[in-house]
Amino acid sequence: DAGITQSPRHKVTETGTPVTLRCHQTENHRYMYWYRQDPGHGLRLIHYSYGVKDTDKGEVSDGYSVSRSKTEDFLLTLESATSSQTSVYFCAISEPSSPLHFGNGTRLTVT
Amino acid sequence: AQTVTQSQPEMSVQEAETVTLSCTYDTSESNYYLFWYKQPPSRQMILVIRQEAYKQQNATENRFSVNFQKAAKSFSLKISDSQLGDTAMYFCAFMKSYGGSQGNLIFGKGTKLSVKP
């Protein structure tokens, strides 16, 4: 799994509550990403980071924020979870011009 | 903007036979990478094969090979001697090879492949 750990693996939360998902890598890769996977949509990029404290928005960033205070950790926060954010969330890492390696995903259910 | 299209939502193949999964993409870029990822029921995303656009030679990895047609913007995956463990969702993906969005993978919606005994 290329040294990527996502936590938690599963989470159920209520609408309106804040949620933070964590991605931890041991590969010292420069780039880190958060994707969401939904039926009929494949994987879509939420946010990505190209270095400590350097982040940018992806295709579906509304309602999400991220932080990267250390090379190895990339946090995804849902400030106020909504049912439309029920999804499987994948973290990925890469070096420039190299394939992305993915974590095992977090299944988030917002009730 | 780049788009990736997989026109076959589902496919099935008999064990030991050969199957080809289709992928087309749209881009104005000249330098990019193309990938096939496999997602078995375990949910893990596994890199199957990678192709650099500047290379004319088609990439191969054991039983997996691609047919890369740059002018036609086509990138199909051929699986030879299909095995039960090949049962999975297969995603085609595109990545620019330079610039601020380097590393941003654009995925197709996937093809669900079932290998039957």
Side-chain angles (χ1 to χ4, degrees):
Chain A
D1 294 343
I4 308 168
T5 302
Q6 290 186 233
S7 58
R9 284 277 286 166
H10 305 274
K11 186 170 181 67
V12 180
T13 192
E14 293 185 348
T15 298
T17 59
V19 177
T20 296
L21 308 183
R22 180 178 183 243
C23 178
H24 178 79
Q25 63 151 325
T26 58
E27 305 296 320
N28 201 36
H29 282 192
R30 178 181 173 188
Y31 291 92
M32 298 186 76
Y33 313 80
W34 279 107
Y35 283 84
R36 61 177 288 174
Q37 183 178 24
D38 304 290
H41 288 280
L43 281 80
R44 294 178 292 173
L45 182 68
I46 305 171
H47 282 279
Y48 66 101
S49 168
Y50 43 94
V52 174
K53 292 187 168 51
D54 291 325
T55 64
D56 205 349
K57 296 179 179 180
E59 178 188 357
V60 290
S61 60
D62 287 348
Y64 301 94
S65 62
V66 291
S67 66
R68 190 171 180 197
S69 58
K70 298 185 290 185
T71 299
E72 58 266 33
D73 290 325
F74 193 34
L75 304 180
L76 177 70
T77 297
L78 292 65
E79 300 290 347
S80 178
T82 67
S83 58
S84 65
Q85 294 175 312
T86 292
S87 187
V88 178
Y89 291 86
F90 284 95
C91 174
I93 65 173
S94 77
E95 287 289 273
S97 299
S98 294
L100 273 64
H101 296 281
F102 288 82
N104 288 333
T106 294
R107 181 176 294 280
L108 176 67
T109 302
V110 184
T111 60
Chain B
Q2 290 77 34
T3 59
V4 178
T5 302
Q6 295 179 247
S7 59
Q8 305 149 315
E10 293 192 39
M11 296 187 72
S12 66
V13 63
Q14 293 295 129
E15 197 175 7
E17 293 187 347
T18 295
V19 63
T20 298
L21 281 57
S22 301
C23 173
T24 58
Y25 59 95
D26 188 25
T27 184
S28 58
E29 303 290 336
S30 57
N31 297 317
Y32 51 87
Y33 299 96
L34 295 163
F35 305 89
W36 280 96
Y37 280 86
K38 167 185 177 181
Q39 187 179 41
S42 66
R43 200 170 75 192
Q44 188 178 4
M45 291 289 290
I46 302 166
L47 177 67
V48 175
I49 201 164
R50 163 187 177 175
Q51 176 79 43
E52 290 88 347
Y54 64 87
K55 289 186 178 179
Q56 293 188 342
Q57 186 173 5
N58 290 324
T60 62
E61 287 288 342
N62 300 314
R63 298 182 295 108
F64 298 89
S65 61
V66 298
N67 183 5
F68 173 49
Q69 301 290 328
K70 190 173 183 179
K73 295 180 182 175
S74 171
F75 183 61
S76 61
L77 175 70
K78 185 172 81 171
I79 305 174
S80 304
D81 185 27
S82 297
Q83 300 176 0
L84 297 178
D86 295 333
T87 292
M89 282 288 288
Y90 286 82
F91 292 98
C92 179
F94 170 98
M95 181 175 82
K96 289 197 294 186
S97 63
Y98 63 92
S101 61
Q102 175 178 302
N104 179 10
L105 276 180
I106 307 296
F107 284 88
K109 294 183 178 181
T111 295
K112 184 177 182 180
L113 177 67
S114 299
V115 180
K116 301 185 184 303

